[in-house]
Amino acid sequence: MIESGVIDGGGAPARVLPGTVLELLRSRIEAGRPETWPTGSAGRSPGFVTNAERAMVVLPAGEGDPGEHAVDPSADGGSDGFVLADGQCDEYPDQDTVPLAEVLRIVEHVVATGSWPADAARVADR
């Protein structure tokens, strides 16, 4: 089943399809909107917040579930500048975030299938 979804960021909601998700996410980042939570047609809402270099990517199983987040086990150090929609600015260990190219790959796969890519490293937050 091919997933689709919407991103509601004020104004008209933007439709998210596997072929358009990368362009939409890049445009949101460039517009200074680093936090994105598409609402998937199968009830999955992947989310990410980025500092334009790395991102925290999460995939809850449903409302109220902390879900799982993508990791980069070989990364060292930490990064800041992860600005949430409410203005809060977070810092994360680089092991708990992934490079932006990986974020885009993961989110595109989740929108297309409703699940993580099989090769995406992740940890459960439950």
Side-chain angles (χ1 to χ4, degrees), residues 88-105:
Q88 177 179 320
C89 187
D90 286 346
E91 180 177 335
Y92 301 112
D94 284 347
Q95 288 186 342
D96 284 331
T97 63
V98 293
L100 195 54
E102 178 69 354
V103 172
L104 297 174
R105 183 183 80 85

Side-chain angles (χ1 to χ4, degrees), residues 48-109:
F48 79 92
V49 61
T50 182
N51 66 359
E53 293 178 17
R54 300 185 70 82
M56 167 70 73
V57 181
V58 298
L59 183 58
E63 191 172 328
D65 177 49
E68 301 170 319
H69 73 272
V71 295
D72 184 353
S74 63
D76 289 324
S79 299
D80 60 6
F82 297 91
V83 182
L84 303 177
D86 66 4
Q88 177 179 320
C89 187
D90 286 346
E91 180 177 335
Y92 301 112
D94 284 347
Q95 288 186 342
D96 284 331
T97 63
V98 293
L100 195 54
E102 178 69 354
V103 172
L104 297 174
R105 183 183 80 85
I106 290 170
V107 173
E108 182 177 47
H109 188 276

